[in-house]
Amino acid sequence: MLSLRQAKISREQILSDLYLKPEGVNEDNKYYLGFFEDEVLVAILDILDDYPDEETCFIGFFMVNILYQGQGIGSEINESVLVYVKKIGKAKVRLGIDKGNPQSKAFWKKNGFKLIKEVEILGGTILLAEKIL
């Protein structure tokens, strides 16, 4: 999990990510969600339905505003998303964690995700994690 402030993500990066998806994934299967308190953006979640298979949803990223971290809000949002994903018939959720981000790794482990393998990508290593619903 990244902090919105720590990540230093530009508006242009966020707008381009709205359309970023793996090859072969239908654009109707990508959801980009914002969570707000009044006018303040609390968190952003990117999720793919039916990826990498029909029984799985894949969280592309999840960022919580630094002003809201440490209050359980990220875990609460995650749990709500998992309840919904299970309700629509999915068996599991997967995500990738930057191996060099101990905060993210700790967050996802705390929320019941298990590391299943390491994947080498250009510029680093991703820890693939999964939670069976």
Side-chain angles (χ1 to χ4, degrees):
M1 181 172 63
L2 297 173
S3 154
L4 290 176
R5 191 175 291 162
Q6 291 169 333
K8 296 182 182 169
I9 294 176
S10 71
R11 175 182 167 88
E12 291 75 25
Q13 287 171 308
I14 291 173
L15 290 173
S16 72
D17 192 66
L18 285 170
Y19 306 101
L20 187 64
K21 59 185 177 41
E23 192 173 316
V25 173
N26 185 318
E27 64 185 38
D28 293 338
N29 289 32
K30 178 172 173 134
Y31 301 91
Y32 200 87
L33 308 171
F35 300 86
F36 293 84
E37 180 176 66
D38 298 319
E39 298 295 318
V40 178
L41 180 61
V42 174
I44 300 172
L45 175 76
D46 170 75
I47 192 164
L48 297 169
D49 190 12
D50 295 339
Y51 183 79
D53 53 48
E54 289 183 4
E55 67 176 10
T56 308
C57 281
F58 192 94
I59 295 175
F61 70 86
F62 180 44
M63 294 186 293
V64 175
N65 185 322
I66 196 166
L67 300 174
Y68 292 86
Q69 290 182 7
Q71 302 174 37
I73 292 170
S75 293
E76 186 179 327
I77 290 170
N78 174 61
E79 185 58 33
S80 294
V81 169
L82 296 178
V83 166
Y84 175 76
V85 167
K86 185 174 183 176
K87 185 177 179 178
I88 64 169
K90 303 303 174 185
K92 58 190 168 186
V93 174
R94 284 191 179 170
L95 53 88
I97 303 166
D98 179 348
K99 187 175 181 178
N101 186 337
Q103 178 188 5
S104 180
K105 184 177 176 183
F107 173 81
W108 292 114
K109 280 184 137 182
K110 176 183 83 169
N111 282 278
F113 282 78
K114 307 285 185 227
L115 300 178
I116 57 175
K117 70 178 178 178
E118 290 189 13
V119 180
E120 297 297 322
I121 60 166
L122 187 62
T125 303
I126 297 297
L127 304 173
L128 189 60
E130 179 177 270
K131 182 168 183 173
I132 305 298
L133 302 176

